[in-house]
Amino acid sequence: MNKILKIALFIIMFLWLMPFFWTIALSIGHYANLLENRLFLFSLRNSIFIGLLTALLVVSLASWTAFRMTRHNLKLTKVILLLALIVSIYPQVSVAGPLFIVFSRISLINTLSGLILVYTTFSLPLVLWYLYAYFQKIPMTLDEAAAVDGAGPWTIFIKIILPQSIPALTVSGVLVFLFVWNEFFLGFVLTIDEHARPLPTALALFTSRYETNWGELSAASVIAAIPVFLLSLYTKKAFMMEKDELEE
Amino acid sequence: MKAKNLSLMPVLIIFILFGIVPVFYSGFMSFQGIWLKTPWLNKSFVYFDNYRLILTDPQCYQALWHTLGFVLITLGIEVSAGFCLAYALFRATMGKHYLIQLGLFLPLATPAVLSAQMWRLFFHDSQGLLNRVLEHLHMISQQIPWLSEPVLAWFTIGVAELWKVTPFVTVVLLSSLLNIPRQTWEAAYLDGAKGWKCIRFIAIPLIRKTILVIILFRMLDAIRVFDLVYVMTQGGPGGATDVLGLFVYRALFSEMAMGKASAASIIMIGLAGVLALIIFLVYRKYTKDYE
């Protein structure tokens, strides 16, 4: 009985991964063409650049804020956590129009900095909640000992909190990068110029320009998927390790 | 005291400036006749005209019913299928099997646009794997137009969504099943509970909190579905797969009607709020009498 169940589960899993196999099969032999496609290369560069900068920005902002929120009994803490929840769940189509209008007014449309600002806003909540929970587990006695030795909050943050939370910081950085790498709607709305498009937008609009070029599209999909898989395997491992540590 | 609060300011300002203010701005513009091309000119206060325009628009109702149907059907299937899979994996003690975890994790991590394109490719008339296999097996005489037939188009969109989301539900439910203490199962076994009874009286009651939280988050996510439909069918054929997200997008960037789009997006937020409230009330009721 158990054996039948196991075999059935493996078959389900194989069927589940079918579209991947098909995409990879169709992509073979189209990579050389793709690497001459300048728009694709532009979008690849844009996404890498935006992803890295957003990750850096979000992790530094969120870690400092989460540190202050856990270490002091501030009234604003609840406000910020609530705002984070609200920002992460409402339909994002509703901000598309206003952001478009304001961004074209201050000429942030089509710029990487505009996208970085927006992505920072929408990926902050997750990281903020995650780091807030993580910092709460770091004992306060360490801070107090350092404070007795005359360390200010900044020193405590840099020298005590950050070194202890490097795994959590990298996981959050990777999560933000993946968020940026996967996000479609905002990047789609806030870029008009083909050269400013992030990768998902370029992938979505691939067919309108190259109507039948399925080979190149699948090659582009495979390339876009590689970092996602590597990074998400890494985060999964980190999450698992943390869970095991908690259980011990 | 001031310095402490000051250090929270950057995040607070970002949230308010880019997360909250645009929504209120949207709400404000929904009472205006305002156009995307010239947002700083020709605005006029039109009271509820935009809402009247939308609520008498059959396209809006079409998009609304499609969205609600999409949310309810995918939610129902993904939660039940996710639970069955999670329970099967739990029973077969394969929850920590490397291959299984990989299989669950890859779809979950795939960007939405990517999975949409992959499924478009899979269901494509002449290039798609499905039609080719069916033709090869002589099960069909001509290619099935998966993406240009209303019912079939919904079917393919549903498959793409479920393919990506069911593993997520499975992973979460599996981890909460694994968190049920071993003694609970042993006690149930000693009392003679088997098969269905284990599911009905142990598994479901003990993880129902998780199930409700998943339903809440998946629902809020499904209401704003856009990328999948946009990439796969663009709302076609003939508006047969239109959803609210696309409706707002079209009002905004095809008709350039900022006021109308804002009103529609406010309605969308209201819808999400009402559904979230219902789930929250159910959650409170269920968790209260349980504890």
Side-chain angles (χ1 to χ4, degrees), chain A residues 2 5-7 9-10 12-13 15-20 22-23 26 61-62 64-66 68-69 72-77 79-80 83-105 108 117-118 120-122 124-125 128 178 181-185 188-189 200-207 211-212 214-215 217-218 220-222 224-225 228-229 232-233 235-236 240 243-244 247, chain B residues 1 3-12 14-23 25-26 29 34-36 39-40 85 87-89 91-94 96-114 117-122 124 127-130 132 162-164 166-167 175 178-179 217 220-221 223-224 226-227 230-231 234 244-246 248-249 252-253 258 262 265-266 268-269 272 276:
Chain A
N2 224 338
L5 196 59
K6 270 186 188 178
I7 293 168
L9 284 169
F10 274 117
I12 289 177
M13 204 197 76
L15 288 177
W16 212 265
L17 296 181
M18 218 50 219
F20 282 122
W22 185 238
T23 310
L26 274 186
L61 266 176
W64 173 243
T65 311
R68 296 306 290 242
M69 290 200 305
H72 309 288
N73 198 7
L74 296 176
K75 272 183 192 161
L76 274 180
T77 304
V79 177
I80 285 187
L83 280 181
L85 193 66
I86 292 173
V87 166
S88 59
I89 60 176
Y90 67 70
Q92 282 160 5
V93 255
S94 51
V95 296
L99 281 180
F100 185 84
I101 288 180
V102 175
F103 273 25
S104 28
R105 181 72 169 183
L108 275 177
L117 271 178
V118 175
T120 303
T121 313
F122 287 100
L124 254 175
L128 205 57
L178 287 179
W181 196 261
N182 296 353
E183 209 283 334
F184 169 66
F185 184 69
F188 176 57
V189 168
T201 313
L203 270 183
L205 300 178
F206 215 91
T207 39
E211 191 51 68
T212 45
W214 286 100
L217 174 61
S218 42
S221 309
V222 172
V228 177
F229 293 156
S232 56
L233 283 180
T235 26
K236 193 188 77 129
M240 293 283 158
K243 217 175 166 189
D244 289 345
E247 276 160 12
Chain B
M1 177 62 201
K4 287 176 195 165
N5 275 321
L6 220 59
S7 58
L8 301 187
M9 280 303 154
V11 168
L12 194 68
I14 287 178
F15 277 160
I16 290 179
L17 216 56
F18 295 103
I20 304 297
V21 167
V23 176
Y25 189 32
S26 215
M29 281 191 297
I34 181 170
W35 303 94
L36 189 68
W40 314 100
L85 262 179
Y87 194 73
L89 285 172
R91 272 287 124 131
T93 59
M94 294 211 299
K96 290 193 170 164
H97 194 290
Y98 185 74
L99 269 177
I100 293 290
Q101 287 202 338
L102 191 75
L104 287 175
F105 223 76
L106 289 187
L108 198 157
T110 315
V113 173
L114 208 76
Q117 290 285 28
M118 272 187 344
W119 281 105
R120 247 183 90 206
L121 197 56
F122 190 81
H124 190 269
Q127 302 278 307
L129 179 64
L130 195 62
R132 281 196 196 179
L162 291 173
W163 175 81
K164 187 166 159 45
T166 310
S175 76
L178 288 171
N179 276 341
F217 277 91
L220 291 171
D221 228 29
I223 286 176
R224 58 185 180 191
F226 177 84
D227 28 24
Y230 183 82
V231 172
Q234 302 222 340
L244 278 179
L246 271 175
V248 177
Y249 173 77
L252 199 56
F253 290 99
M258 193 64 227
S262 302
S265 60
I266 293 300
M268 234 173 121
I269 291 184

Side-chain angles (χ1 to χ4, degrees), chain B residues 177-191:
Chain B
L177 276 177
L178 288 171
N179 276 341
I180 297 176
R182 179 182 292 270
Q183 292 90 326
T184 315
W185 296 107
E186 280 163 5
Y189 178 76
L190 286 181
D191 287 347

Side-chain angles (χ1 to χ4, degrees), chain B residues 118 144 157 172 187 193 226 237:
Chain B
M118 272 187 344
I144 301 179
I157 292 175
V172 178
F226 177 84

Side-chain angles (χ1 to χ4, degrees), chain A residues 14-46:
Chain A
F14 181 75
L15 288 177
W16 212 265
L17 296 181
M18 218 50 219
F20 282 122
F21 302 144
W22 185 238
T23 310
I24 293 172
L26 274 186
S27 74
I28 293 167
H30 292 276
Y31 291 95
N33 279 338
L34 184 70
L35 292 179
E36 280 164 17
N37 182 343
R38 298 204 38 204
L39 286 180
F40 175 74
L41 294 181
F42 266 117
S43 63
L44 200 63
R45 187 206 63 183
N46 289 342

